[in-house]
Amino acid sequence: MRLVARYFAKKCYGEYQRAALSETMGISQTTLDGKDLEGVIFKWLTAQGGSQGERAQRAGTQTDSEEADLWPIPQNLPGVQAKGKMVDTYFFNAGKRQAIRHLWQVAMQQNGGTVCVFSDENLKWFYEEPGFLDECMEMARTLADHGYDIRHVSIAQGEMHSAIAAMSFMVSAYMYGMLETYYYPRLRDNLHKRTLILVPGQAAVFSGSIGQQEEAGITFLMTDQELISFMEQDFERVWRLCHPLSKAYTIESWCEQRLKAPWDDNTDLSDCMQVNSDLSFVTVPLELLEFIPAGDQRRSTTERIIALQSSYFENRLAKQYRFVDIINLAALEDIVAGRVLMPFSYMGAGEALPYTPQAYRTHLRRIVSLLKRYSNYLVVMAQDVGMQNMSVFVEKNVHALIMKRELPLTIYEIQEQNMAMCFWEYLSTKTKSLRMKSATRQNSIDRLEEKIAQIDCYLKEHSR
């Protein structure tokens, strides 16, 4: 708190600033005109009392002995943490990561609630330590298991590494079904940056920085109920200025929306990119419908969505828009064992619909056909795309779609263009690293045809 008081004392030099401060503290402005402004602010912040008025009255009268009974003030800052009563102080990027770990530990002491997150600071602290991003994803998973969700106010990150780290975490949180996202629609000064992460009624992490400052200064972890209450009000004020970042659809509501506003020749198009945990939905051939049992309610929904997607997809390719499709080829033993599900398995109630070897071969032949027909269609293969049971589709400068391939199937649509572009850059970075290994169009065709030949050989051997 001494450091907070020192900061505000240095910044509060104008007459109008001191007038506003005296009104907030409930004391005369002459008290603030003295030399020890830092001490007055510190005593007001740390004074004990049942109301704001009591705290203000005690701000100018608290004795040094009373002050000494509060939390200790670090004399030097060689480490990353200084413990106090109700407020712990952390230093540098390592300290901020430690504050997040401690906040998670506090949250795990209770079940359920909403974690509120706002940050527009540079996220180097988030991505620079190997393994910390994965650690945060695991924290999110355990919070979801304990009944928490996350209310996240997004600010499009201008720095590439920060944007990619933010998108990686958002995608995993969407996967856990715990993310409620909003975006702040107004311009900010890009000078004063802040982070506020709080678990209402339990703890809050707060920090501030200037511009694209990469090394964190001071981060506070607060467990004092009155301070947390102020932080909750602060987050609430920001949140009320925001708009929802994403819309959630069931597959039925998505089909209904697309049928009401179908794509046609006048629809604005742009380049697209998609990453899938298996084969992509947009390339599903209509022939796969025969593998859905007669009478299965998913058949009609699937037929409608395949027809819509196929028309839109091929119309885009015919107009020479680029489409990058990142897919994961399944092992033959997984296909034979029925462990690879067809995309429409998640489109309603019913038994899982795994690919048969014949169905998987039919889908691969469709992809090869598209590669040979359209030079602007590119397939990139990866063994691990880092998105189990998910697909992410981004249309440049238009929107991003995140599909959670689990029952019930959920589609999240992000229309805010700055955030959609962050997803685009996120997938572009993924694609570049993968294309270093698999590169050419002919190489993609060769690999797909090798897999088709492998399935042909298996079917031939088992037809005897």
Side-chain angles (χ1 to χ4, degrees):
M1 273 301 167
R2 173 66 71 177
L3 294 171
V4 175
R6 187 172 302 153
Y7 172 83
F8 282 113
K10 288 180 179 178
K11 298 295 181 183
C12 192
Y13 48 78
E15 184 177 347
Y16 75 96
Q17 292 170 316
R18 297 202 176 200
L21 184 61
S22 69
E23 182 179 347
T24 301
M25 296 172 68
I27 58 179
S28 76
Q29 190 171 342
T30 56
T31 306
L32 299 179
D33 291 335
K35 293 182 179 180
D36 191 22
L37 178 58
E38 176 188 326
V40 173
I41 295 174
F42 175 79
K43 290 174 183 178
W44 178 72
L45 288 172
T46 56
Q48 303 300 306
S51 69
Q52 188 82 11
E54 286 183 64
R55 291 175 68 118
Q57 290 173 4
R58 295 183 58 186
T61 60
Q62 190 177 27
T63 66
D64 290 340
S65 61
E66 287 176 311
E67 177 183 314
D69 289 335
L70 299 170
W71 45 82
I73 303 167
Q75 299 304 309
N76 49 52
L77 313 177
V80 298
Q81 179 183 2
K83 293 188 71 64
K85 296 178 181 178
M86 303 295 191
V87 178
D88 290 348
T89 309
Y90 301 77
F91 306 97
F92 317 121
N93 288 354
K96 184 171 287 191
R97 290 189 289 272
Q98 196 65 10
I100 298 299
R101 294 182 180 108
H102 290 169
L103 179 70
W104 172 78
Q105 290 171 354
V106 173
M108 290 297 288
Q109 294 173 12
Q110 297 187 28
N111 284 328
T114 298
V115 181
C116 301
V117 180
F118 170 86
S119 180
D120 59 352
E121 290 188 283
N122 185 288
L123 294 181
K124 186 175 181 181
W125 64 272
F126 189 55
Y127 64 77
E128 69 177 351
E129 179 181 292
F132 184 69
L133 179 56
D134 290 337
E135 187 180 341
C136 287
M137 291 178 182
E138 180 61 18
M139 289 183 204
R141 186 192 65 76
T142 55
L143 287 171
D145 289 344
H146 280 70
Y148 282 93
D149 55 20
I150 297 175
R151 177 171 292 170
H152 182 234
V153 172
S154 296
I155 302 290
Q157 289 283 346
E159 194 269 323
M160 178 59 63
H161 291 295
S162 294
I164 291 171
M167 292 302 104
S168 298
F169 182 79
M170 284 179 67
V171 167
S172 65
Y174 272 120
M175 182 175 70
Y176 301 137
M178 65 183 304
L179 189 61
E180 179 186 320
T181 52
Y182 299 83
Y183 72 94
Y184 183 75
R186 303 180 186 181
L187 293 174
R188 288 172 56 78
D189 62 9
N190 205 35
L191 177 63
H192 299 97
K193 305 295 186 73
R194 59 192 298 215
T195 293
L196 174 58
I197 306 173
L198 67 93
V199 183
Q202 297 186 56
V205 165
F206 175 80
S207 65
S209 58
I210 300 297
Q212 284 301 318
Q213 175 184 330
E214 293 187 347
E215 185 67 43
I218 304 171
T219 301
F220 300 100
L221 173 62
M222 309 169 189
T223 53
D224 176 81
Q225 292 299 308
E226 192 167 355
L227 288 175
I228 294 170
S229 178
F230 280 123
M231 291 298 177
E232 289 175 21
Q233 294 173 35
D234 207 17
F235 183 88
E236 183 82 9
R237 292 188 191 100
V238 173
W239 176 63
R240 290 190 178 281
L241 297 173
C242 296
H243 300 316
L245 179 62
S246 63
K247 294 180 181 178
Y249 299 91
T250 63
I251 190 63
E252 291 80 10
S253 62
W254 176 253
C255 288
E256 184 179 340
Q257 186 215 34
R258 295 297 356 137
L259 287 169
K260 285 181 179 177
W263 294 294
D264 55 36
D265 290 340
N266 297 318
T267 301
D268 290 333
L269 301 174
S270 65
D271 293 342
C272 290
M273 204 177 310
Q274 179 168 276
V275 59
N276 313 274
S277 52
D278 297 303
L279 302 182
S280 63
F281 194 93
V282 294
T283 57
V284 170
L286 280 170
E287 292 88 336
L288 285 197
L289 290 173
E290 67 186 61
F291 295 95
I292 302 178
D296 192 309
Q297 64 178 12
R298 288 170 288 190
R299 192 179 184 103
S300 60
T301 302
T302 301
E303 188 170 7
R304 286 193 304 164
I305 196 67
I306 288 178
L308 277 170
Q309 290 281 66
S310 181
S311 170
Y312 180 50
F313 177 56
E314 294 216 37
N315 184 35
R316 178 188 302 279
L317 293 177
K319 292 186 175 181
Q320 295 302 306
Y321 289 98
R322 200 160 177 264
F323 195 106
V324 179
D325 200 5
I326 307 173
I327 64 174
N328 180 29
L329 286 182
L332 178 60
E333 54 267 31
D334 289 333
I335 300 168
V336 172
R339 289 191 287 264
V340 185
L341 300 185
M342 290 191 276
F344 38 74
S345 282
Y346 313 100
M347 292 188 178
E351 295 182 2
L353 297 172
Y355 278 103
T356 63
Q358 294 90 337
Y360 201 83
R361 180 181 61 184
T362 299
H363 198 157
L364 292 182
R365 284 174 173 168
R366 159 85 165 151
I367 296 173
V368 170
S369 172
L370 289 166
L371 277 168
K372 291 179 176 180
R373 286 164 55 199
Y374 298 106
S375 61
N376 49 321
Y377 176 56
L378 177 66
V379 172
V380 180
M381 277 159 278
Q383 288 186 333
D384 181 12
V385 296
M387 295 184 188
Q388 188 176 5
N389 296 326
M390 290 194 73
S391 294
V392 177
F393 170 90
V394 183
E395 188 170 0
K396 192 175 184 181
N397 296 320
V398 180
H399 66 176
L401 299 174
I402 301 172
M403 181 185 294
K404 191 161 72 82
R405 290 187 176 187
E406 294 176 347
L407 288 175
L409 186 142
T410 307
I411 299 172
Y412 300 96
E413 181 182 26
I414 296 174
Q415 293 183 318
E416 203 280 317
Q417 288 194 1
N418 287 327
M419 294 305 298
M421 279 305 298
C422 283
F423 271 94
W424 177 267
E425 297 297 340
Y426 168 61
L427 291 191
S428 295
T429 303
K430 256 190 179 308
T431 307
K432 286 173 186 173
S433 63
L434 292 170
R435 287 175 65 189
M436 295 286 289
K437 303 170 186 176
S438 59
T440 68
R441 167 180 304 281
Q442 189 57 49
N443 184 52
S444 297
I445 293 173
D446 290 344
R447 288 187 61 186
L448 291 166
E449 290 183 336
E450 283 174 13
K451 180 64 71 174
I452 292 170
Q454 185 184 23
I455 294 172
D456 284 339
C457 184
Y458 169 83
L459 291 173
K460 186 176 180 180
E461 287 179 2
H462 289 78
S463 63
R464 296 169 185 170

